[in-house]
Amino acid sequence: MSVGSDSAHGILFTLASLASIVAGTVLFKLLAPKGSLWIGNGIQNIAGGLAVMPFAFALSSVSDIVPSIRLAGAFAFLVLGGSILAYLLWFHLLKVCGATAASAYHFLMPPLGMLFAYLVLGEHVEFRDLVGIVPVALGIYLVTRPAAAAANRSMT
């Protein structure tokens, strides 16, 4: 923040999103749905869309949308990749790893974002950015390591 590249506003949004992930994980463990996760997720998405719809129509104009192949491709990518594929992966992780370990994998997003920015956009990666990956990787390892290995180490 001292060099002016980060804003307090952005940091507050980041902290709020982190709190949401933590709250969602805890609530999922406490109130795990008995039915299909797909139905529950669909209801959540519909409710979220309905809650945001008045703001979308009030703050933007439908006439500004220009149909094109690029728009259709971007929409298809967001629906198929950003929603369906992402939820398939998320539900698989919940089933295989549990909510705690699956949530730990969220912390892979910043290092992967940095990697894709480097590969796709040609952005410069500083050494301190790479050093910042070390505690992330260590934290993910500590949360996702097998319980038996941890128990054996504590006995020795």
Side-chain angles (χ1 to χ4, degrees), residues 54-79:
F55 297 103
F57 286 123
L59 300 173
S60 60
S61 173
V62 176
S63 64
D64 290 339
I65 299 172
V66 179
S68 68
I69 296 296
R70 289 183 62 180
L71 176 64
F75 188 74
F77 172 77
L78 289 173
V79 169

Side-chain angles (χ1 to χ4, degrees), residues 75-143:
F75 188 74
F77 172 77
L78 289 173
V79 169
L80 297 174
S83 293
I84 295 172
L85 182 63
Y87 282 122
L88 279 171
L89 178 60
W90 176 244
F91 291 149
H92 176 72
L93 285 174
L94 286 174
K95 192 182 331 176
V96 172
C97 306
T100 304
S103 294
Y105 290 120
H106 275 104
F107 294 100
L108 284 175
M109 290 182 208
L112 288 175
M114 184 174 57
L115 173 67
F116 291 134
Y118 171 75
L119 294 175
V120 177
L121 303 174
E123 288 192 14
H124 175 71
V125 177
E126 293 187 24
F127 179 73
R128 67 182 177 162
D129 294 331
L130 296 173
V131 171
I133 294 174
V134 173
V136 172
L138 181 62
I140 292 170
Y141 167 74
L142 291 173
V143 170

